[in-house]
Amino acid sequence: MESTSGRRSKLVTAIALVTACYWLAMFVGTHLPVTPDPNEVPNSLDKLHHLTAFAGLAFLLCSAGAMWGVTTQRLITAVLGVIAVYGFFDEVTQAFVPNREPDVRDWLANMLGAGLGIALFSVGRQLFASRTVIRL
């Protein structure tokens, strides 16, 4: 029979691995050259893509941090800081990719997505905590 700490350790490892893979996929996706489609409305869903991608990243980073026991305030501050820096880096480095360009509005969508991801994590954490208390 597996111990509780063994299961927790596997869960922490799984969340860290999923977060790392997600982040890597985001980086690769934003640094692949694009071929403009003349039939497509330019940037029609671009900001929504940024918002959802960074909401997912923020949610995963919060989940990983919570599993490592980081306090809520420190976790929120760290995730916002990491995403602000990474989002800026991501936008700046797109200048070196054909048919991509940095855009401050994309960075703002990234930050809005981070806020959404943190909010979703916080709500989920509260619901889980209240559900756990009810079962006791």
Side-chain angles (χ1 to χ4, degrees):
M1 181 173 266
E2 189 175 17
S3 71
T4 303
S5 65
R7 280 181 279 168
R8 181 168 164 37
S9 177
K10 285 182 180 180
L11 182 59
V12 169
T13 301
I15 289 173
L17 185 59
V18 167
T19 303
C21 289
Y22 183 90
W23 202 342
L24 179 61
M26 276 181 57
F27 180 80
V28 169
T30 60
H31 288 81
L32 291 174
V34 292
T35 304
D37 182 356
N39 299 323
E40 185 179 321
V41 177
N43 298 320
S44 59
L45 296 175
D46 180 57
K47 303 305 178 259
L48 181 60
H49 292 158
H50 281 267
L51 186 136
T52 56
F54 278 82
L57 181 60
F59 184 89
L60 288 170
L61 287 172
C62 284
S63 299
M67 291 301 295
W68 283 311
V70 179
T71 62
T72 302
Q73 187 58 44
R74 190 171 279 192
L75 182 62
I76 290 170
T77 303
V79 168
L80 283 175
V82 165
I83 287 182
V85 170
Y86 172 69
F88 177 78
F89 171 79
D90 186 59
E91 287 303 315
V92 169
T93 57
Q94 286 181 39
F96 305 107
V97 180
N99 297 318
R100 293 217 184 243
E101 58 187 47
D103 184 354
V104 71
R105 292 169 299 179
D106 287 346
W107 181 82
L108 291 171
N110 298 345
M111 294 308 296
L112 185 59
L116 177 61
I118 290 168
L120 290 173
F121 171 79
S122 297
V123 167
R125 188 179 208 179
Q126 290 298 321
L127 289 173
F128 181 76
S130 67
R131 182 176 173 200
T132 303
V133 170
I134 291 170
R135 286 187 175 186
L136 294 176

